Amino acid sequence: MTNKADIQTQINTIDDGGNNSASEVRNVFGTHADSILEAIYSTSVSDDEATGTYTTSNANFNYDLTFRKVGSSVTLTGRFTANASLSGGSFTILTITDTTLTQDTTASYYESCVKLNSSDTLPVILTNNNLVTSASILSGEGFRFTIKYNSEN
């Protein structure tokens, strides 16, 4: 996934004076991994607690995630399951660590997760790149969610 700074770097590779090859222009607009086209039509990436490519896990949860980024808008879809019963506090489910996916920390994003095989809900918040809940969870309970947020890059 690309970000604004990567695209600007690609734009800066075009020489002044009109002596630019078609290849240089194609790199900026579409063929390079940091091109404008990749920023608009990027592919989804997946992560889980074992892989940890884009996130860092909390040992209390298993999770599967999909990130889809278009420009600076990110849609995070996934599910998590508690490995132990948790109550009486605030619990970090995961932390987003990949800098192309980290959130704009001037805002927090609130959402309700839906319990698997149920209509029960659980509140979560994405704040400072941490997906957090303060609700009690029983061991083995699983929830699915979708959160839309703005990335900082």
Side-chain angles (χ1 to χ4, degrees):
M1 293 191 180
T2 189
N3 61 43
K4 187 176 178 180
D6 294 335
I7 294 170
Q8 186 62 53
T9 299
Q10 279 301 303
I11 291 170
N12 291 343
T13 64
I14 298 175
D15 296 325
D16 291 336
N19 294 325
N20 301 299
S21 68
S23 176
E24 288 176 306
V25 175
R26 279 192 297 271
N27 276 343
V28 170
F29 288 104
T31 59
H32 192 276
D34 294 329
S35 70
I36 294 169
L37 186 63
E38 285 298 316
I40 297 171
Y41 295 101
S42 64
T43 57
S44 297
V45 295
S46 298
D47 204 10
D48 59 41
E49 78 286 344
T51 307
T53 304
Y54 306 98
T55 59
T56 300
S57 73
N58 174 318
N60 290 322
F61 296 93
N62 290 336
Y63 57 84
D64 292 300
L65 309 171
T66 301
F67 291 92
R68 172 86 171 139
K69 183 176 179 187
V70 177
S72 62
S73 297
V74 180
T75 301
L76 171 58
T77 304
R79 65 112 198 122
F80 61 89
T81 303
N83 293 329
S85 293
L86 304 168
S87 63
S90 180
F91 307 103
T92 299
I93 300 162
L94 59 94
T95 302
I96 301 169
T97 56
D98 185 280
T99 57
T100 62
L101 297 170
T102 51
Q103 78 176 93
D104 172 0
T105 56
T106 61
S108 294
Y109 301 87
Y110 298 85
E111 193 57 66
S112 290
C113 297
V114 178
K115 186 175 178 180
L116 299 176
N117 303 314
S118 174
S119 59
D120 294 345
T121 61
L122 177 87
V124 292
I125 180 172
L126 182 62
T127 184
N128 296 317
N129 296 306
N130 295 303
L131 184 63
V132 176
T133 187
S134 58
S136 297
I137 303 174
L138 296 175
S139 180
E141 282 188 319
F143 296 85
R144 64 183 183 280
F145 65 94
T146 298
I147 294 179
K148 295 183 180 191
Y149 66 94
N150 292 323
S151 67
E152 69 178 337
N153 292 309

